Amino acid sequence: MVDELYDRDYQSSRAQLNASFAGLGRTLGDSLKALHHIEWSAPWASKKKTASRV
């Protein structure tokens, strides 16, 4: 009985820990993508907007 309670609590805690690491990894990945864009995007390579004629 005690082993079942321990295992249930352990599995629940482990699931919460894995979920928090997944969120942390996603946030870290988004931050690194933003830094990569800031460092390596060339401003002269972007398309210039042209004024539309009416």
Side-chain angles (χ1 to χ4, degrees), residues 5-54:
L5 292 174
Y6 173 78
D7 185 53
R8 197 176 309 149
D9 188 41
Y10 175 79
Q11 295 297 332
S12 173
S13 300
R14 193 71 184 170
Q16 289 175 355
L17 181 67
N18 287 339
S20 67
F21 278 136
L24 179 66
R26 193 175 313 112
T27 302
L28 183 61
D30 291 343
S31 300
L32 290 174
K33 284 179 190 176
L35 284 174
H36 182 268
H37 178 72
I38 290 168
E39 282 291 322
W40 297 103
S41 64
W44 56 86
S46 63
K47 294 181 180 179
K48 298 196 183 282
K49 293 183 180 180
T50 57
S52 62
R53 296 184 182 196
V54 181

